[in-house]
């Protein structure tokens, strides 16, 4: 089973590209953001506790998302692998994921990092706020905080995985189809 990380700051296109890549390569798309929003939409106790944290653009506690991912990995059958979107987001989450995979005889095969400049990120998220209205896109200060949290807590994971030889930067600016092709080329190698 392949284990691929799609990585990048808020608005870099992780979700957009993951849906298409998962379909093309028969992967399970595991988005911790989507899982948390589903908890909120269902009105669960967990969702209620997490919604205030997410509305501020802060990270929810590591153990919450690690638990969510572990339960999904064990229920997966008949797929070529996993595509992790928005997870891991801290070095602690990265270490936990590696341990989780190690116990099951797997490892991270590739970390695909979408590179998008700050102004383009903000532009995309403000546009999405007008169209679909995700609460954490509505306030420009929250968008900036999400980008700051990414830089402070999430970006250090890049160095962590660089040392393991799985880091693959991808230009995330341009037409969605072109970026999809750039990412696909990096994944096709595993199917040859
Ligand atoms: P999450 O849902 O992961 O959000 P995010 O990282 O802020 O990322 P986005 O969904 O905003 O961006 P994306 O990179 O997926 O881009 P997208 O394809 O959507 O997390 C939300 C919150 O949940 C976090 O802040 C945190 O509180 C919590 N959380 C989640 N996971 C966690 C974890 N592991 N640990 C702790 N807390 C966690 O695209 C964005 C927009 O741009 C879309 O409108 C899209 O149509 C558009 N777009 C995409 N590509 C292009 C392009 N090439 N050109 C123009 N527009 C484009």
């Amino acid at each position: 089973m392949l284990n691929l990380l799609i990585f990048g700051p808020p608005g870099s296109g992780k979700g957009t590209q993951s849906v298409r890549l998962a379909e093309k390569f028969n992967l399970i798309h595991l988005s911790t953001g989507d899982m948390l929003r589903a908890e909120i939409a269902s009105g669960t106790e967990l969702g209620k506790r997490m919604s205030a944290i997410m509305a501020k653009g802060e990270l929810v506690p590591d153990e919450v998302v690690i638990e969510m991912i572990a339960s999904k990995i064990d229920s997966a059958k008949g797929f070529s692998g996993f595509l992790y979107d928005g997870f891991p987001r801290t070095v602690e989450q990265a270490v936990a994921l590696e341990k989780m995979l190690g116990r099951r005889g797997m490892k991270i095969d590739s970390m695909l990092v979408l590179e998008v400049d700050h102004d383009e990120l903000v532009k995309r998220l403000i546009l999405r706020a007008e169209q679909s209205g995700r609460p954490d896109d509505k306030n420009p200060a929250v968008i900036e905080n999400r980008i700051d949290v990414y830089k402070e807590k999430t970006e250090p994971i890049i160095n962590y995985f660089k040392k393991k030889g799985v880091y693959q930067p991808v230009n995330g600016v341009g037409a969605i189809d072109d970026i999809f092709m750039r990412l696909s080329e990096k994944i096709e190698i595993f199917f040859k």
Side-chain angles (χ1 to χ4, degrees):
M1 293 278 267
L2 269 181
N3 284 276
L4 308 172
L5 308 182
I6 187 156
F7 207 84
S12 56
K14 302 182 296 292
T16 305
Q17 297 293 340
S18 292
V19 172
R20 300 178 62 169
L21 292 168
E23 195 188 344
K24 178 169 179 178
F25 294 103
N26 187 35
L27 303 169
I28 302 185
H29 173 204
L30 296 178
S31 159
T32 42
D34 286 350
M35 291 175 206
L36 289 163
R37 281 185 288 277
E39 293 284 337
I40 295 171
S42 312
T44 64
E45 270 313 307
L46 179 70
K48 280 178 198 152
R49 282 191 281 124
M50 298 306 122
S51 71
I53 301 174
M54 291 170 71
K56 286 188 276 185
E58 297 294 329
L59 297 182
V60 309
D62 287 337
E63 57 275 17
V64 170
V65 284
I66 290 166
E67 182 83 13
M68 285 176 158
I69 290 285
S71 68
K72 298 283 178 186
I73 290 179
D74 288 332
S75 58
K77 298 272 177 307
F79 291 88
S80 305
F82 302 97
L83 181 61
Y84 303 90
D85 160 11
F87 179 89
R89 250 181 161 96
T90 60
V91 173
E92 288 73 16
Q93 291 180 21
V95 172
L97 177 60
E98 282 194 305
K99 281 192 188 150
M100 220 186 284
L101 295 180
R103 282 196 292 270
R104 292 161 176 86
M106 299 189 283
K107 61 175 177 44
I108 305 291
D109 297 287
S110 182
M111 175 195 218
L112 301 158
V113 182
L114 288 169
E115 297 185 332
V116 179
D117 59 90
H118 174 274
D119 290 356
E120 174 70 13
L121 298 173
V122 174
K123 196 173 84 184
R124 288 182 188 177
L125 296 177
I126 286 176
L127 189 65
R128 183 170 64 186
E130 288 164 13
Q131 293 163 347
S132 68
R134 227 175 81 172
D136 55 349
D137 291 339
K138 281 187 183 146
N139 180 343
V142 172
I143 291 179
E144 290 298 342
N145 189 42
R146 285 158 63 197
I147 295 172
D148 288 347
V149 168
Y150 172 81
K151 284 191 190 140
E152 186 196 333
K153 298 193 171 146
T154 306
E155 220 168 35
I157 304 175
I158 293 180
N159 267 338
Y160 179 81
F161 281 117
K162 261 187 191 169
K163 289 180 195 145
K164 305 198 173 223
V166 295
Y167 163 74
Q168 299 232 279
V170 175
N171 178 3
V173 181
I176 288 172
D177 283 349
D178 292 341
I179 299 162
F180 178 63
M181 274 173 47
R182 289 172 208 151
L183 289 163
S184 292
E185 277 169 15
K186 309 265 186 211
I187 299 176
E188 270 154 14
I189 292 162
F190 294 103
F191 290 86
K192 281 182 180 153

